[in-house]
Amino acid sequence: MSKKVQKLVFDEEEVTNHKNRCVKSVETKSDQGYFNTYSHFAIHHEMLTDKVRTESYRDALLMNSHIFNDCIMLDVGCGTGILSMFAAKSGCKQVISVDQSDIIYHAMDIVRENNLTKIVKLKKGRLEDIDLDVDKVDAIVSEWMGYFLLFEGMLDSVIYARDHYLKPEGKLLPNKCTISLVGSGDTKRYIDLVDYWSNVYGFKMSCMKAEVVREPSIEFCNAQDLVTSVAEIQSFDLYKVTTDCVNFSAPFSLKVKRSGSLTAIIGYFDVFFDDLDNPVHFSTGPHATPTHWKQTVFSLSEPISITEGEEESHIQQKLFENLIKLNPFFYSGEIVSGTLVCRRHVKDIRGLIVTIRIKDFSQVYYLD
């Protein structure tokens, strides 16, 4: 068996072995560190001042108030309670707001300050461990997305809420998310971050390159540095996904838009509230208005030389597509293709391990 095939089999085994792992399977005590990070005010200020994020939720609720009038809504991971208060203003007769973080004590004060205590009922605890005092809810709202969409594992709690509390015809906000990739040719960033270790005050520290590359960077990327087309690699229908959705293998194909060097693969996600009468959508990509999620940058250990090709004919395009099907690591002067494998972190239930393969390049990245 070749090393490439062995690696593919190993990845599939890794994915299979961790299918049943989710937040519910972890004791609350051992999960407390995650919630403690949300007890600090700075993170809530960062999220609230993200207008793209906060106003998208506001618009989805208030522009569709006729749908939520007189309903019971569940807010999973309510934080300061901003989404719960939007829900109350949309006409909900009751909003059940759950959070395990100590920030909920301040949310209680905020709800009281805004005279919404008769509508918004706050409960401290992890959703999987508490009693909501209702059998079913009409809608679930949650801002659960983490870096590269799936980091933090909060989607597990939304899935639990959906399966245990949502009415058959109930609404999920948001209802769909996608993950996309795009290639970056930011050579200055590569020199400053990766190649820097080749010569540090006259000393070689090349061994540090591996440590730098293995950890994806969360940063704003300049759209001018993008050198390929965008490829959507995964779509998540929140009405159907299971907690195993974090484990996937996705081929991708990026068309070269500009000759030069491919130095990193950039990951980002889009969020959709599109099963409403007045749909709402926002993107965290480098082409869109910046959000607090920024983008997830997977740096390559060595740049890949790429060449912009001429516009292909229909026949050429079909040929490329067939070659990609035969060899997922196909690379030509016009197309860079590979595979991204995502799986739940072996040791950290809320972390991710991402493997990217392009031609002879293969790198494992850890979001933990």
Side-chain angles (χ1 to χ4, degrees):
M1 186 183 292
S2 70
K3 289 184 178 180
K4 182 180 289 186
V5 173
Q6 286 178 334
K7 184 64 178 173
L8 286 169
V9 171
F10 172 77
D11 284 334
E12 291 304 317
E13 289 176 347
E14 284 293 307
V15 170
T16 302
N17 291 340
H18 298 287
K19 275 189 174 182
N20 297 323
R21 295 178 69 240
C22 64
V23 168
K24 172 63 177 173
S25 64
V26 177
E27 291 184 5
T28 307
K29 184 178 180 180
S30 62
D31 200 25
Q32 192 57 41
Y34 163 71
F35 294 103
N36 287 343
T37 62
Y38 284 92
S39 297
H40 303 283
F41 299 109
I43 193 169
H44 294 283
H45 182 266
E46 181 182 32
M47 290 188 291
L48 290 169
T49 54
D50 182 344
K51 286 190 173 184
V52 173
R53 162 205 182 263
T54 308
E55 292 182 358
S56 293
Y57 276 88
R58 179 200 64 190
D59 292 347
L61 287 163
L62 299 186
M63 290 170 54
N64 295 281
S65 58
H66 59 289
I67 295 176
F68 306 115
N69 186 50
D70 206 34
C71 81
I72 299 176
M73 185 171 293
L74 171 61
D75 182 356
V76 180
C78 65
T80 57
I82 186 66
L83 304 188
S84 296
M85 292 188 290
F86 286 149
K89 292 296 184 182
S90 74
C92 292
K93 66 179 178 183
Q94 185 179 8
V95 182
I96 303 169
S97 310
V98 180
D99 205 305
Q100 169 68 358
S101 162
D102 286 346
I103 196 67
I104 199 167
Y105 297 122
H106 298 282
M108 292 174 182
D109 292 334
I110 292 169
V111 169
R112 189 179 303 112
E113 186 178 3
N114 287 276
N115 301 313
L116 291 171
T117 53
K118 291 183 179 181
I119 301 175
V120 180
K121 308 299 180 183
L122 295 114
K123 290 180 174 288
K124 187 179 191 302
R126 197 171 67 162
L127 179 83
E128 293 85 349
D129 305 324
I130 65 175
D131 186 354
L132 295 187
D133 299 323
V134 297
D135 291 329
K136 297 293 180 181
V137 299
D138 300 289
I140 297 173
V141 64
S142 180
E143 194 277 81
W144 55 267
M145 298 80 72
Y147 299 132
F148 198 60
L149 184 66
L150 300 171
F151 180 61
E152 293 186 7
M154 191 177 164
L155 177 56
D156 289 1
S157 296
V158 175
I159 292 170
Y160 182 91
R162 178 200 68 193
D163 292 346
H164 288 78
Y165 294 109
L166 188 64
K167 290 181 179 179
E169 300 302 319
K171 293 289 186 181
L172 286 172
L173 293 92
N175 66 292
K176 186 179 78 172
C177 296
T178 61
I179 295 178
S180 297
L181 302 178
V182 65
S184 172
D186 189 346
T187 53
K188 182 181 184 305
R189 177 188 176 279
Y190 175 83
I191 292 170
D192 292 343
L193 183 68
V194 182
D195 196 52
Y196 167 82
W197 299 100
S198 298
N199 186 334
V200 182
Y201 297 99
F203 297 98
K204 294 180 179 180
M205 296 188 181
S206 300
C207 60
M208 294 296 292
K209 285 185 180 182
E211 294 302 311
V212 171
V213 172
R214 71 187 290 274
E215 184 176 342
S217 299
I218 308 300
E219 58 187 87
F220 290 116
C221 301
N222 193 330
Q224 295 178 346
D225 293 321
L226 304 182
V227 292
T228 75
S229 61
V230 171
E232 180 184 306
I233 61 166
Q234 202 74 351
S235 180
F236 302 86
D237 180 344
L238 276 298
Y239 289 107
K240 298 179 180 178
V241 295
T242 67
T243 55
D244 186 47
C245 69
V246 300
N247 300 310
F248 65 87
S249 178
F252 61 85
S253 179
L254 305 172
K255 181 178 179 180
V256 177
K257 296 291 188 179
R258 191 172 75 238
S259 299
S261 295
L262 179 69
T263 59
I265 299 296
I266 296 170
Y268 67 91
F269 61 89
D270 284 42
V271 177
F272 301 84
F273 307 78
D274 63 0
D275 65 339
L276 304 173
D277 292 342
N278 296 297
V280 175
H281 157 256
F282 71 86
S283 176
T284 64
H287 301 93
T289 304
T291 70
H292 79 283
W293 286 286
K294 304 175 184 177
Q295 289 89 44
T296 304
V297 183
F298 301 96
S299 299
L300 305 187
S301 55
E302 297 292 338
I304 296 175
S305 180
I306 54 176
T307 305
E308 179 185 7
E310 297 178 359
E311 192 69 26
E312 308 103 353
S313 66
H314 177 70
I315 295 176
Q316 287 175 315
Q317 181 62 34
K318 284 295 181 182
L319 176 62
F320 283 132
E321 290 175 358
N322 290 332
L323 285 170
I324 291 164
K325 288 178 182 178
L326 291 171
N327 180 3
F329 309 112
F330 173 74
Y331 169 66
S332 76
E334 296 84 20
I335 302 290
V336 177
S337 296
T339 300
L340 182 145
V341 178
C342 179
R343 66 179 186 267
R344 200 183 292 269
H345 200 290
V346 177
K347 296 181 180 179
D348 180 0
I349 200 74
R350 296 186 180 275
L352 301 172
I353 299 176
V354 175
T355 303
I356 294 178
R357 299 195 191 89
I358 303 171
K359 199 181 178 184
D360 297 328
F361 169 85
S362 181
Q363 175 67 45
V364 179
Y365 303 89
Y366 299 85
L367 281 85
D368 49 19

